[in-house]
Each structure stands twice: as C-alpha cells, then as structure tokens.
Amino acid sequence: MKKTLYLMRHGQTLFNVRKKIQGFCDAPLTELGIQQANIASSYFKDNGIVFTKAYSSTSERACDTLERITNMDYTRLKGLKEWNFGTFEGESEDLNPPLPYGDFFAGFGGEREMDFRARLVETMESIMSQENHDVVLAVSHGAACAQFARNWEATSQIGPISGLKNCCILKFEYENSAFTLVDFINHDFANA
C-alpha cells in the first residue's frame, strides 16, 4: 500500500537570522518563522490534507512549528534532529567549510555525513513501516531534509532539489520500503 510522508523544515529561528550554525543547539522561532508555519498550515488545510500521524525532531524549533501546523498529538524523535556540528554549534556560519561538508564536522565532535544520513533514513523507514501511518507529517531541519532527499534522488520524480527555505515541504510516497520524492513546495515568504 502506498503511503505519503510530508517532510518539512521548521520555521525561521533567531539563529537563522543571526547566521549561527544550528544543529543540535536550538533557538526560538522568530515572528516570521511563526508566520511561515501558519502559511504551511494553511497549505495543508487548503489542500484537504489530513494527517494520520505526526512526528517532530526533539528540537524546540521543530516542535513549535509542528504545533502551528496541527493540534494533534505527536511524537518527538531524536532521529529527526539536525546534523550534529560538534564544536561549531552556535558559531558564525562564515566558519562553515564549502559544500559538500562530507565528514568535516566529525573532526570536531560532530557527525559523519553518511552516519547522519543513515540515521534519518532509518528513522523515516521506522515511522512509515508502521500500521495506520498512511499520511504522515514529520517536522525536521534543513540539512536533514536535504540529506534524506539526496538518499532517494535515484527514485525522485522531480530530480535533485536545492534551496530549502524555512517551512519548505517535501512530499514523498512510500511503498515497498522505498521513498519517491513527488513534490517540493518551497513557499515564497517575501510577503509574509
């Protein structure tokens, strides 16, 4: 049976505005971040999308975003957390190495790229393989969404994605233990 996963990034945070590296560390949503979550909520409502289950990263920014999308009970999972950037957490983004990061952060107490990706894939497969998980919302983070999508590029119907804005939505179909990216909604929040 084909199931649907809506994987989305959290709303804008104070650290996003201040251009701080934000992985395992956390910062609150800004007013714009709250508006972005409200716009994403309207998207789901306007399109008649009803979730059977909802999940969030344990980070406050993801939980706060999810709570603006739906008032249903949800489960917080550490497996949905952002990349652990080690001692670079909370530092200026101008210290980031050029993309792709690869295993750069592992040398500073962070996660290796493929370990991070495997954590996300394992978590998503665990979620979607459960019964009564027909239409699932999972709120996570920018690098997490990008890494998960990269893992399934070979099956993607829309090709590689880039430029994941806050509160972007990636729609995946899940069947026979495989994910297919079928839509990418990257709202224009310039007028929010």
Side-chain angles (χ1 to χ4, degrees), residues 4-192:
T4 305
L5 168 67
Y6 290 94
L7 174 62
M8 67 178 287
R9 184 181 179 196
H10 60 80
Q12 182 193 70
T13 68
L14 178 63
F15 274 20
N16 293 143
V17 172
R18 297 193 63 209
K19 306 239 182 272
K20 298 284 186 181
I21 297 171
Q22 183 177 218
F24 271 35
C25 68
D26 209 1
L29 296 178
T30 62
E31 285 301 316
L32 177 58
I34 291 167
Q35 291 175 359
Q36 291 168 336
N38 291 338
I39 290 169
S41 178
S42 294
Y43 167 83
F44 291 121
K45 288 177 185 152
D46 293 348
N47 287 283
I49 298 165
V50 178
F51 307 112
T52 54
K53 298 290 179 180
Y55 292 84
S56 174
S57 156
T58 55
S59 298
E60 177 183 353
R61 61 195 186 267
C63 294
D64 289 350
T65 299
L66 185 142
E67 290 169 8
R68 294 232 166 235
I69 305 292
T70 179
N71 60 4
M72 70 188 293
D73 290 337
Y74 65 96
T75 303
R76 295 167 40 127
L77 294 176
K78 290 181 181 179
L80 293 175
K81 285 186 72 134
E82 181 60 290
W83 199 329
N84 180 347
F85 296 116
T87 57
F88 281 76
E89 294 280 342
E91 298 292 338
S92 176
E93 286 180 359
D94 65 358
L95 297 176
N96 276 333
L99 290 170
Y101 295 153
D103 292 336
F104 175 83
F105 296 104
F108 300 92
E111 284 179 285
R112 299 173 61 84
E113 182 177 13
M114 290 301 116
D115 293 342
F116 170 50
R117 187 180 294 185
R119 167 169 60 85
L120 296 164
V121 170
E122 180 181 318
T123 300
M124 298 300 182
E125 287 179 341
S126 174
I127 289 170
M128 296 306 293
S129 65
Q130 296 179 57
E131 290 186 23
N132 302 317
H133 282 60
D134 301 326
V135 181
V136 174
L137 171 64
V139 180
S140 190
H141 307 272
C145 292
Q147 285 291 328
F148 186 74
R150 282 188 196 114
N151 190 75
W152 298 102
E153 277 183 359
T155 61
S156 174
Q157 291 182 359
I158 61 173
I161 58 167
S162 62
L164 283 75
K165 298 177 185 175
N166 290 100
C167 281
C168 66
I169 302 164
L170 291 81
K171 180 181 178 184
F172 290 90
E173 290 179 347
Y174 176 78
E175 190 173 32
N176 299 322
S177 301
F179 291 86
T180 303
L181 181 61
V182 296
D183 202 2
F184 177 44
I185 300 96
N186 218 6
H187 292 102
D188 178 10
F189 295 112
N191 298 317

